[in-house]
Amino acid sequence: MADHYEVLGVSRDASQDEIKKAYRKLARQLHPDVNPGDDASERFKLVTHAYDVLGDEESRRRYDMGGDENGGGFGGFGGFGDIFESFFGASGGGRSARPRSRRERGEDALVRVDLDLGDVVFGAHRDIEVDTAVLCETCQGSCCQPGTAPVTCDVCGGSGHVQRQVRSLLGNVITTQPCGSCEGYGTVIELPCGGCAGQGRVRTRRTVSLDIPAGVETGLRLQLPGSGAVGRAGGPHGDLYVEVTVAPHPVFSREGDDLLATLEVSMPDAILGTTTTIEGLDGTVDLELRAGVQSGDVLTIPGRGVTPLRGSQRGDLRVGVQVVTPTRLDSAQRRLIEDFAKKTKAPEPHLAQFQQGLFSKLRDRFRSH
Ligand code: ZN
């Protein structure tokens, strides 16, 4: 028999809470009312059985020790199967088999939203178009023409199942099968709703109003429970997932909750120092450059970065200085620089430790903060 932990997809040291959650999730997926197939119902049995063993501290302990999992008087797998069938009437000799439900859970839906960096910093509001099934207004999910109702199937008498006698080597055997006349529903819709062809729902485009929190990043999916498609015959809604894509910004890039940019500074400004005003994503910031500022120096503007997804404290804006060497000088400028070099007795070029370009130099300095 399959390992119960593997069946539930949990680790051997999973907490009771994790086991319960894993079971609920699988049970929803595999429930016979949702999945009429034999495969799903077999898996559902396995999953439910695994949970019966692992969901109880005492029987889990026995199972972990390799003991007889059914020793607790539960009645073994066969007994369990009977209980299962009396509840769900999926297959076999169900004495009290129940008809299938027409109601099904609706599908999940996925939409994509494009954002820019400003949306990431401050959060954003979007009205997005979603194309999913919604409740049929004509029948309100009943699937029947207004004023009519499903009638009891006269083949199975409303049970959704028929019994057949089959000859076998062991003699006559009674088997129970879904009723072919009502497809196992126990009722028949004689006058299907014209608005939805008897489905209880129609496909339509609608607008969903969405608040996107600050701090999201490309690939992140926001889940909106119950905003997906409505189920067949007015069944519960699926969920809506919104996947965000953030366009690159021409100036600012994001690292964690911080924003990074480069400030290009002319040689005279770097030598003499200056004040300047830069345009952040949310207004201007005054910066003071000290005289003698170097390429690779980083100026930190606190609280001008990104608001984290879970939190309210904005990161910082970090500006890395890059001194720009002039490349075209006229003869007068050239004389000035030569004069300057003579007077300052500038050192000869000399070796120092290797630095991997400005950007890695910047990154190292960010890290050391
Ligand atoms: Zn309808």
Side-chain angles (χ1 to χ4, degrees):
M1 189 183 293
D3 176 67
H4 292 335
Y5 290 97
E6 280 174 25
V7 168
L8 290 178
V10 296
S11 66
R12 299 198 82 82
D13 54 5
S15 68
Q16 285 295 313
D17 209 40
E18 287 170 322
I19 288 173
K20 190 191 269 181
K21 272 191 192 136
Y23 166 67
R24 283 204 182 131
K25 194 169 156 220
L26 287 166
R28 264 200 305 274
Q29 286 168 6
L30 300 169
H31 196 284
D33 281 356
V34 186
N35 286 285
D38 278 343
D39 199 10
S41 102
E42 281 307 312
R43 277 195 63 207
F44 185 81
K45 282 188 201 180
L46 280 176
V47 162
T48 308
H49 180 56
Y51 178 67
D52 276 318
V53 174
L54 300 184
D56 176 65
E57 294 274 16
E58 177 59 21
S59 73
R60 179 183 181 184
R61 198 177 56 78
R62 268 202 308 275
Y63 178 71
D64 285 346
M65 286 161 52
D68 176 12
E69 59 183 63
N70 296 320
F74 183 74
F77 197 71
F80 167 77
D82 288 344
I83 292 171
F84 170 84
E85 262 136 31
S86 68
F87 269 100
F88 301 114
S91 61
R95 285 173 300 273
S96 52
R98 278 192 195 173
R100 266 169 77 189
S101 169
R102 279 196 175 80
R103 284 166 56 90
E104 289 172 9
R105 182 183 183 270
E107 299 83 3
D108 293 336
L110 174 68
V111 291
R112 294 189 166 79
V113 170
D114 292 319
L115 303 176
D116 61 31
L117 196 59
D119 298 324
V120 171
V121 171
F122 307 112
H125 183 88
R126 288 283 193 288
D127 290 323
I128 49 175
E129 299 269 283
V130 186
D131 192 358
T132 63
V134 298
L135 196 68
C136 172
E137 283 182 7
T138 310
C139 67
Q140 294 296 315
S142 79
C143 308
C144 305
Q145 268 186 28
T148 70
V151 294
T152 303
C153 173
D154 52 16
V155 174
C156 63
S159 71
H161 293 84
V162 287
Q163 295 196 334
R164 259 186 354 129
Q165 223 180 67
V166 181
R167 279 174 181 274
S168 78
L169 290 174
L170 302 170
N172 288 346
V173 179
I174 307 280
T175 66
T176 304
Q177 295 177 329
C179 172
S181 176
C182 63
E183 295 173 63
Y185 294 123
T187 57
V188 175
I189 295 175
E190 290 182 322
L191 297 169
C193 168
C196 60
Q199 297 298 302
R201 59 178 189 167
V202 289
R203 206 171 175 86
T204 193
R205 194 169 271 266
R206 67 200 154 97
T207 304
V208 174
S209 213
L210 176 67
D211 282 314
I212 298 161
V216 296
E217 55 193 306
T218 293
L220 188 106
R221 283 187 179 184
L222 304 165
Q223 184 184 12
L224 281 73
S227 291
V230 72
R232 219 162 73 95
H237 285 80
D239 298 337
L240 175 63
Y241 291 88
V242 180
E243 187 175 306
V244 304
T245 302
V246 182
H249 190 276
V251 172
F252 298 104
S253 55
R254 179 180 175 186
E255 191 173 273
D257 298 331
D258 291 341
L259 292 176
L260 310 184
T262 299
L263 185 68
E264 297 191 341
V265 179
S266 75
M267 220 171 62
D269 280 346
I271 294 167
L272 302 174
T274 187
T275 55
T276 186
T277 302
I278 61 166
E279 196 70 38
L281 283 173
D282 51 343
T284 56
V285 182
D286 293 329
L287 286 184
E288 199 175 307
L289 291 173
R290 64 177 174 86
V293 70
Q294 302 287 332
S295 280
D297 283 356
V298 175
L299 307 172
T300 300
I301 302 109
R304 290 292 192 111
V306 180
T307 309
L309 196 54
R310 291 175 187 81
S312 53
Q313 182 87 35
R314 281 178 70 179
D316 302 332
L317 171 59
R318 298 187 189 277
V319 179
V321 171
Q322 185 172 27
V323 179
V324 180
T325 311
T327 51
R328 282 162 185 248
L329 300 177
D330 61 26
S331 53
Q333 291 165 337
R334 192 172 182 85
R335 271 196 301 280
L336 275 172
I337 295 293
E338 283 164 354
D339 199 29
F340 170 80
K342 265 180 224 145
K343 284 187 174 141
T344 53
K345 299 192 183 76
E348 297 276 309
H350 59 281
L351 281 177
Q353 201 179 18
F354 179 71
Q355 292 182 339
Q356 297 191 339
L358 178 67
F359 278 98
S360 48
K361 191 173 164 192
L362 286 182
R363 199 149 295 157
D364 290 344
R365 295 202 183 197
F366 288 144
R367 287 223 181 86
S368 65
H369 271 76

